[in-house]
Amino acid sequence: MNTLYATRGSGNSLKPFLTMKQLDIPFRLVFVDVINGETRREKYLAINPAGTVPYMVTSDGRRLGESNAIAWYLAEETRLAPGTCYDRAQALQWLFFEQGNLEPFISPARFFISIVPHRRAERAEEIARWQARACQGLGILDGYLRGRDFITDSGYSVADIGVFGYTHVAAGAEIDLGQYPAVQRWMQRVTETSGFVSLSDMNDHASILLADDGIQAHAS
Ligand SMILES: N[C@@H](CCC(=O)N[C@@H](CS)C(=O)NCC(=O)O)C(=O)O
């Protein structure tokens, strides 16, 4: 069975979680405590030297990091894989866009505003910059999604899952998604797809803690 290392509340962790739930792929979930620095300690670094979640160890022991790469691997040859060569390239375009123009700004702004608000003041200037950059990215996404149902013409796919991961929690970064009506309509469509599960479903899912995980360290 696949093992997914994840963190509660993480938009990146939601991506492989949602993919496996929608595809009925069984997995075990191990929660790593980012706030207490567990991702940067020896036990987790021996699993994922990059010290980030999500991370996956497949049923046959292979290892994979980066949320969009994990989701892509899981979606290959399933109904969540875009159907044509062009649609696959377009999916990759928007997954890279998400990692370059959305996630690096929404995620830290949300972290300091909503997850560790006592540390907000110390990052006030950066937060303003992150919000501005996130809004630029959301504006581009909104323009693209006008008149479209999903990211590619193949319908709902791994590309939507990847872009949804942090876009849907932008309010936690005090970004008003009301400015992006096409993004809002698209997010609603994503939540209506068959078997959709949310961040709170992930937070409440049966899991074990990293401290109780008996995996053998093997960096790759
Ligand atoms: N590009 C990576 C980013 C992963 C990432 O930064 N994850 C955050 C949680 S959402 C994390 O692990 N933070 C803890 C740390 O960096 O120690 C991905 O998409 O998986």
Side-chain angles (χ1 to χ4, degrees), residues 100-132:
N101 299 60
L102 298 173
E103 189 267 359
F105 309 118
I106 297 172
S107 174
R110 172 176 174 256
F111 184 76
F112 287 105
I113 290 172
S114 298
I115 314 240
V116 290
H118 56 286
R119 296 180 55 197
R120 178 182 181 152
E122 75 195 51
R123 307 304 280 265
E125 282 179 26
E126 282 161 289
I127 289 171
R129 276 201 298 276
W130 290 326
Q131 288 168 322

mmCIF file of all heavy atoms in Angstrom, residues 100-132:
data_model
loop_
_atom_site.group_PDB
_atom_site.id
_atom_site.type_symbol
_atom_site.label_atom_id
_atom_site.label_comp_id
_atom_site.label_asym_id
_atom_site.label_seq_id
_atom_site.Cartn_x
_atom_site.Cartn_y
_atom_site.Cartn_z
ATOM 1 N N GLY A 100 4.987 28.151 -9.613
ATOM 2 C CA GLY A 100 5.794 29.363 -9.772
ATOM 3 C C GLY A 100 5.063 30.644 -9.401
ATOM 4 O O GLY A 100 5.697 31.611 -8.975
ATOM 5 N N ASN A 101 3.747 30.661 -9.575
ATOM 6 C CA ASN A 101 3.021 31.930 -9.479
ATOM 7 C C ASN A 101 1.921 31.964 -8.422
ATOM 8 O O ASN A 101 1.366 33.022 -8.155
ATOM 9 C CB ASN A 101 2.377 32.264 -10.838
ATOM 10 C CG ASN A 101 3.391 32.424 -11.945
ATOM 11 O OD1 ASN A 101 4.130 31.496 -12.235
ATOM 12 N ND2 ASN A 101 3.454 33.582 -12.553
ATOM 13 N N LEU A 102 1.557 30.829 -7.880
ATOM 14 C CA LEU A 102 0.470 30.809 -6.888
ATOM 15 C C LEU A 102 0.963 30.283 -5.541
ATOM 16 O O LEU A 102 0.969 30.999 -4.537
ATOM 17 C CB LEU A 102 -0.708 29.953 -7.395
ATOM 18 C CG LEU A 102 -1.386 30.450 -8.680
ATOM 19 C CD1 LEU A 102 -2.417 29.436 -9.178
ATOM 20 C CD2 LEU A 102 -2.068 31.798 -8.446
ATOM 21 N N GLU A 103 1.354 29.000 -5.520
ATOM 22 C CA GLU A 103 1.703 28.349 -4.248
ATOM 23 C C GLU A 103 2.795 29.059 -3.464
ATOM 24 O O GLU A 103 2.677 29.231 -2.243
ATOM 25 C CB GLU A 103 2.071 26.876 -4.524
ATOM 26 C CG GLU A 103 2.254 26.040 -3.285
ATOM 27 C CD GLU A 103 3.691 25.985 -2.805
ATOM 28 O OE1 GLU A 103 4.589 26.593 -3.453
ATOM 29 O OE2 GLU A 103 3.918 25.349 -1.776
ATOM 30 N N PRO A 104 3.876 29.560 -4.112
ATOM 31 C CA PRO A 104 4.959 30.174 -3.318
ATOM 32 C C PRO A 104 4.536 31.468 -2.633
ATOM 33 O O PRO A 104 5.277 31.982 -1.793
ATOM 34 C CB PRO A 104 6.047 30.465 -4.361
ATOM 35 C CG PRO A 104 5.690 29.712 -5.568
ATOM 36 C CD PRO A 104 4.204 29.512 -5.546
ATOM 37 N N PHE A 105 3.390 32.008 -3.006
ATOM 38 C CA PHE A 105 2.925 33.274 -2.418
ATOM 39 C C PHE A 105 1.717 33.064 -1.502
ATOM 40 O O PHE A 105 1.661 33.607 -0.410
ATOM 41 C CB PHE A 105 2.617 34.283 -3.543
ATOM 42 C CG PHE A 105 3.764 34.405 -4.516
ATOM 43 C CD1 PHE A 105 3.624 34.075 -5.850
ATOM 44 C CD2 PHE A 105 5.018 34.806 -4.059
ATOM 45 C CE1 PHE A 105 4.701 34.156 -6.725
ATOM 46 C CE2 PHE A 105 6.109 34.895 -4.922
ATOM 47 C CZ PHE A 105 5.941 34.567 -6.260
ATOM 48 N N ILE A 106 0.754 32.247 -1.981
ATOM 49 C CA ILE A 106 -0.431 32.008 -1.132
ATOM 50 C C ILE A 106 -0.016 31.237 0.121
ATOM 51 O O ILE A 106 -0.440 31.558 1.232
ATOM 52 C CB ILE A 106 -1.515 31.221 -1.916
ATOM 53 C CG1 ILE A 106 -2.007 32.036 -3.110
ATOM 54 C CG2 ILE A 106 -2.682 30.863 -0.984
ATOM 55 C CD1 ILE A 106 -2.946 31.269 -4.046
ATOM 56 N N SER A 107 0.840 30.229 -0.071
ATOM 57 C CA SER A 107 1.179 29.355 1.057
ATOM 58 C C SER A 107 1.862 30.101 2.213
ATOM 59 O O SER A 107 1.402 30.018 3.356
ATOM 60 C CB SER A 107 2.032 28.187 0.544
ATOM 61 O OG SER A 107 2.476 27.421 1.620
ATOM 62 N N PRO A 108 2.934 30.871 1.967
ATOM 63 C CA PRO A 108 3.560 31.539 3.119
ATOM 64 C C PRO A 108 2.687 32.637 3.713
ATOM 65 O O PRO A 108 2.671 32.830 4.940
ATOM 66 C CB PRO A 108 4.875 32.092 2.563
ATOM 67 C CG PRO A 108 4.686 32.178 1.088
ATOM 68 C CD PRO A 108 3.713 31.079 0.731
ATOM 69 N N ALA A 109 1.939 33.367 2.855
ATOM 70 C CA ALA A 109 1.058 34.419 3.401
ATOM 71 C C ALA A 109 0.016 33.778 4.313
ATOM 72 O O ALA A 109 -0.253 34.263 5.419
ATOM 73 C CB ALA A 109 0.393 35.192 2.263
ATOM 74 N N ARG A 110 -0.571 32.678 3.866
ATOM 75 C CA ARG A 110 -1.570 31.978 4.683
ATOM 76 C C ARG A 110 -0.943 31.427 5.960
ATOM 77 O O ARG A 110 -1.546 31.470 7.033
ATOM 78 C CB ARG A 110 -2.170 30.838 3.857
ATOM 79 C CG ARG A 110 -3.077 29.898 4.640
ATOM 80 C CD ARG A 110 -3.665 28.881 3.664
ATOM 81 N NE ARG A 110 -4.446 27.847 4.291
ATOM 82 C CZ ARG A 110 -4.032 26.602 4.479
ATOM 83 N NH1 ARG A 110 -2.802 26.241 4.118
ATOM 84 N NH2 ARG A 110 -4.814 25.716 5.047
ATOM 85 N N PHE A 111 0.296 30.940 5.830
ATOM 86 C CA PHE A 111 0.963 30.353 6.998
ATOM 87 C C PHE A 111 1.092 31.398 8.114
ATOM 88 O O PHE A 111 0.710 31.152 9.255
ATOM 89 C CB PHE A 111 2.339 29.813 6.585
ATOM 90 C CG PHE A 111 3.068 29.115 7.697
ATOM 91 C CD1 PHE A 111 2.702 27.834 8.096
ATOM 92 C CD2 PHE A 111 4.124 29.733 8.360
ATOM 93 C CE1 PHE A 111 3.370 27.187 9.132
ATOM 94 C CE2 PHE A 111 4.792 29.099 9.389
ATOM 95 C CZ PHE A 111 4.415 27.816 9.780
ATOM 96 N N PHE A 112 1.602 32.583 7.749
ATOM 97 C CA PHE A 112 1.845 33.585 8.793
ATOM 98 C C PHE A 112 0.567 34.318 9.225
ATOM 99 O O PHE A 112 0.513 34.841 10.331
ATOM 100 C CB PHE A 112 2.927 34.578 8.349
ATOM 101 C CG PHE A 112 4.297 33.957 8.368
ATOM 102 C CD1 PHE A 112 4.932 33.585 7.186
ATOM 103 C CD2 PHE A 112 4.933 33.693 9.576
ATOM 104 C CE1 PHE A 112 6.188 32.977 7.210
ATOM 105 C CE2 PHE A 112 6.190 33.087 9.609
ATOM 106 C CZ PHE A 112 6.819 32.727 8.418
ATOM 107 N N ILE A 113 -0.449 34.327 8.356
ATOM 108 C CA ILE A 113 -1.700 35.006 8.734
ATOM 109 C C ILE A 113 -2.614 34.059 9.520
ATOM 110 O O ILE A 113 -3.176 34.440 10.549
ATOM 111 C CB ILE A 113 -2.430 35.534 7.471
ATOM 112 C CG1 ILE A 113 -1.650 36.709 6.875
ATOM 113 C CG2 ILE A 113 -3.865 35.932 7.794
ATOM 114 C CD1 ILE A 113 -2.164 37.191 5.525
ATOM 115 N N SER A 114 -2.739 32.829 9.043
ATOM 116 C CA SER A 114 -3.785 31.952 9.599
ATOM 117 C C SER A 114 -3.253 30.812 10.455
ATOM 118 O O SER A 114 -3.978 30.292 11.290
ATOM 119 C CB SER A 114 -4.616 31.352 8.459
ATOM 120 O OG SER A 114 -5.253 32.368 7.747
ATOM 121 N N ILE A 115 -2.022 30.363 10.223
ATOM 122 C CA ILE A 115 -1.549 29.167 10.943
ATOM 123 C C ILE A 115 -0.712 29.574 12.160
ATOM 124 O O ILE A 115 -0.869 28.994 13.225
ATOM 125 C CB ILE A 115 -0.749 28.239 9.996
ATOM 126 C CG1 ILE A 115 -1.508 28.070 8.678
ATOM 127 C CG2 ILE A 115 -0.394 26.917 10.679
ATOM 128 C CD1 ILE A 115 -1.953 26.749 8.216
ATOM 129 N N VAL A 116 0.173 30.561 11.957
ATOM 130 C CA VAL A 116 0.961 31.044 13.110
ATOM 131 C C VAL A 116 0.767 32.567 13.218
ATOM 132 O O VAL A 116 1.714 33.341 13.058
ATOM 133 C CB VAL A 116 2.462 30.655 12.998
ATOM 134 C CG1 VAL A 116 2.648 29.161 13.187
ATOM 135 C CG2 VAL A 116 3.074 31.087 11.657
ATOM 136 N N PRO A 117 -0.459 33.011 13.510
ATOM 137 C CA PRO A 117 -0.747 34.460 13.480
ATOM 138 C C PRO A 117 0.086 35.266 14.472
ATOM 139 O O PRO A 117 0.316 36.462 14.249
ATOM 140 C CB PRO A 117 -2.246 34.526 13.817
ATOM 141 C CG PRO A 117 -2.611 33.202 14.379
ATOM 142 C CD PRO A 117 -1.631 32.205 13.841
ATOM 143 N N HIS A 118 0.593 34.610 15.519
ATOM 144 C CA HIS A 118 1.439 35.339 16.468
ATOM 145 C C HIS A 118 2.763 35.765 15.820
ATOM 146 O O HIS A 118 3.470 36.616 16.350
ATOM 147 C CB HIS A 118 1.711 34.468 17.712
ATOM 148 C CG HIS A 118 2.332 33.137 17.378
ATOM 149 N ND1 HIS A 118 1.614 32.101 16.813
ATOM 150 C CD2 HIS A 118 3.599 32.689 17.500
ATOM 151 C CE1 HIS A 118 2.433 31.061 16.609
ATOM 152 N NE2 HIS A 118 3.632 31.396 17.014
ATOM 153 N N ARG A 119 3.095 35.178 14.661
ATOM 154 C CA ARG A 119 4.328 35.562 13.970
ATOM 155 C C ARG A 119 4.060 36.482 12.780
ATOM 156 O O ARG A 119 4.953 36.777 11.995
ATOM 157 C CB ARG A 119 5.069 34.290 13.517
ATOM 158 C CG ARG A 119 5.525 33.441 14.706
ATOM 159 C CD ARG A 119 6.245 32.197 14.256
ATOM 160 N NE ARG A 119 7.359 32.488 13.371
ATOM 161 C CZ ARG A 119 7.941 31.585 12.583
ATOM 162 N NH1 ARG A 119 7.526 30.334 12.600
ATOM 163 N NH2 ARG A 119 8.944 31.924 11.804
ATOM 164 N N ARG A 120 2.815 36.917 12.635
ATOM 165 C CA ARG A 120 2.444 37.730 11.476
ATOM 166 C C ARG A 120 3.205 39.062 11.423
ATOM 167 O O ARG A 120 3.703 39.457 10.358
ATOM 168 C CB ARG A 120 0.931 37.985 11.520
ATOM 169 C CG ARG A 120 0.465 38.864 10.393
ATOM 170 C CD ARG A 120 -1.022 39.140 10.475
ATOM 171 N NE ARG A 120 -1.421 39.967 9.347
ATOM 172 C CZ ARG A 120 -2.626 39.960 8.813
ATOM 173 N NH1 ARG A 120 -3.556 39.179 9.321
ATOM 174 N NH2 ARG A 120 -2.904 40.739 7.789
ATOM 175 N N ALA A 121 3.283 39.735 12.545
ATOM 176 C CA ALA A 121 3.866 41.083 12.546
ATOM 177 C C ALA A 121 5.298 41.069 12.031
ATOM 178 O O ALA A 121 5.706 41.962 11.271
ATOM 179 C CB ALA A 121 3.806 41.654 13.954
ATOM 180 N N GLU A 122 6.049 40.032 12.401
ATOM 181 C CA GLU A 122 7.464 39.989 11.999
ATOM 182 C C GLU A 122 7.629 39.833 10.480
ATOM 183 O O GLU A 122 8.693 40.104 9.943
ATOM 184 C CB GLU A 122 8.195 38.855 12.749
ATOM 185 C CG GLU A 122 7.880 37.471 12.252
ATOM 186 C CD GLU A 122 8.311 36.328 13.189
ATOM 187 O OE1 GLU A 122 7.977 36.372 14.386
ATOM 188 O OE2 GLU A 122 8.968 35.395 12.692
ATOM 189 N N ARG A 123 6.572 39.388 9.781
ATOM 190 C CA ARG A 123 6.663 39.168 8.325
ATOM 191 C C ARG A 123 5.759 40.103 7.528
ATOM 192 O O ARG A 123 5.454 39.818 6.366
ATOM 193 C CB ARG A 123 6.305 37.699 8.016
ATOM 194 C CG ARG A 123 7.086 36.668 8.803
ATOM 195 C CD ARG A 123 8.601 36.819 8.631
ATOM 196 N NE ARG A 123 9.081 36.253 7.398
ATOM 197 C CZ ARG A 123 9.566 35.023 7.283
ATOM 198 N NH1 ARG A 123 9.630 34.231 8.347
ATOM 199 N NH2 ARG A 123 9.986 34.556 6.113
ATOM 200 N N ALA A 124 5.325 41.213 8.149
ATOM 201 C CA ALA A 124 4.290 42.060 7.532
ATOM 202 C C ALA A 124 4.650 42.501 6.105
ATOM 203 O O ALA A 124 3.816 42.445 5.197
ATOM 204 C CB ALA A 124 4.025 43.264 8.418
ATOM 205 N N GLU A 125 5.905 42.923 5.910
ATOM 206 C CA GLU A 125 6.274 43.421 4.572
ATOM 207 C C GLU A 125 6.249 42.307 3.538
ATOM 208 O O GLU A 125 5.761 42.474 2.424
ATOM 209 C CB GLU A 125 7.664 44.053 4.613
ATOM 210 C CG GLU A 125 7.634 45.437 5.214
ATOM 211 C CD GLU A 125 9.018 46.048 5.286
ATOM 212 O OE1 GLU A 125 9.905 45.681 4.486
ATOM 213 O OE2 GLU A 125 9.227 46.905 6.166
ATOM 214 N N GLU A 126 6.810 41.156 3.933
ATOM 215 C CA GLU A 126 6.807 40.028 2.986
ATOM 216 C C GLU A 126 5.384 39.587 2.668
ATOM 217 O O GLU A 126 5.065 39.245 1.535
ATOM 218 C CB GLU A 126 7.572 38.844 3.574
ATOM 219 C CG GLU A 126 9.070 38.968 3.490
ATOM 220 C CD GLU A 126 9.724 38.019 4.466
ATOM 221 O OE1 GLU A 126 9.627 38.273 5.679
ATOM 222 O OE2 GLU A 126 10.301 37.025 4.022
ATOM 223 N N ILE A 127 4.536 39.591 3.694
ATOM 224 C CA ILE A 127 3.151 39.166 3.476
ATOM 225 C C ILE A 127 2.493 40.040 2.406
ATOM 226 O O ILE A 127 1.831 39.540 1.494
ATOM 227 C CB ILE A 127 2.349 39.189 4.806
ATOM 228 C CG1 ILE A 127 2.819 38.051 5.710
ATOM 229 C CG2 ILE A 127 0.841 39.069 4.546
ATOM 230 C CD1 ILE A 127 2.267 38.108 7.131
ATOM 231 N N ALA A 128 2.710 41.339 2.498
ATOM 232 C CA ALA A 128 2.116 42.255 1.500
ATOM 233 C C ALA A 128 2.638 41.925 0.103
ATOM 234 O O ALA A 128 1.886 41.917 -0.879
ATOM 235 C CB ALA A 128 2.416 43.699 1.874
ATOM 236 N N ARG A 129 3.936 41.618 0.013
ATOM 237 C CA ARG A 129 4.512 41.266 -1.306
ATOM 238 C C ARG A 129 3.942 39.950 -1.813
ATOM 239 O O ARG A 129 3.598 39.793 -2.974
ATOM 240 C CB ARG A 129 6.037 41.157 -1.204
ATOM 241 C CG ARG A 129 6.751 42.493 -1.339
ATOM 242 C CD ARG A 129 8.221 42.294 -1.744
ATOM 243 N NE ARG A 129 8.976 41.542 -0.749
ATOM 244 C CZ ARG A 129 9.531 42.084 0.340
ATOM 245 N NH1 ARG A 129 9.424 43.371 0.562
ATOM 246 N NH2 ARG A 129 10.195 41.334 1.209
ATOM 247 N N TRP A 130 3.838 38.957 -0.895
ATOM 248 C CA TRP A 130 3.293 37.650 -1.301
ATOM 249 C C TRP A 130 1.847 37.798 -1.786
ATOM 250 O O TRP A 130 1.453 37.189 -2.781
ATOM 251 C CB TRP A 130 3.338 36.666 -0.123
ATOM 252 C CG TRP A 130 4.712 36.230 0.268
ATOM 253 C CD1 TRP A 130 5.788 36.035 -0.554
ATOM 254 C CD2 TRP A 130 5.164 35.905 1.599
ATOM 255 N NE1 TRP A 130 6.877 35.614 0.174
ATOM 256 C CE2 TRP A 130 6.526 35.522 1.492
ATOM 257 C CE3 TRP A 130 4.561 35.888 2.852
ATOM 258 C CZ2 TRP A 130 7.280 35.128 2.589
ATOM 259 C CZ3 TRP A 130 5.309 35.487 3.957
ATOM 260 C CH2 TRP A 130 6.656 35.126 3.830
ATOM 261 N N GLN A 131 1.073 38.614 -1.067
ATOM 262 C CA GLN A 131 -0.334 38.793 -1.467
ATOM 263 C C GLN A 131 -0.418 39.421 -2.857
ATOM 264 O O GLN A 131 -1.224 39.013 -3.688
ATOM 265 C CB GLN A 131 -1.073 39.669 -0.442
ATOM 266 C CG GLN A 131 -1.317 38.943 0.872
ATOM 267 C CD GLN A 131 -1.784 39.892 1.965
ATOM 268 O OE1 GLN A 131 -1.313 41.033 2.054
ATOM 269 N NE2 GLN A 131 -2.685 39.410 2.808
ATOM 270 N N ALA A 132 0.444 40.424 -3.104
ATOM 271 C CA ALA A 132 0.410 41.100 -4.405
ATOM 272 C C ALA A 132 0.780 40.128 -5.523
ATOM 273 O O ALA A 132 0.143 40.106 -6.586
ATOM 274 C CB ALA A 132 1.357 42.305 -4.392
#
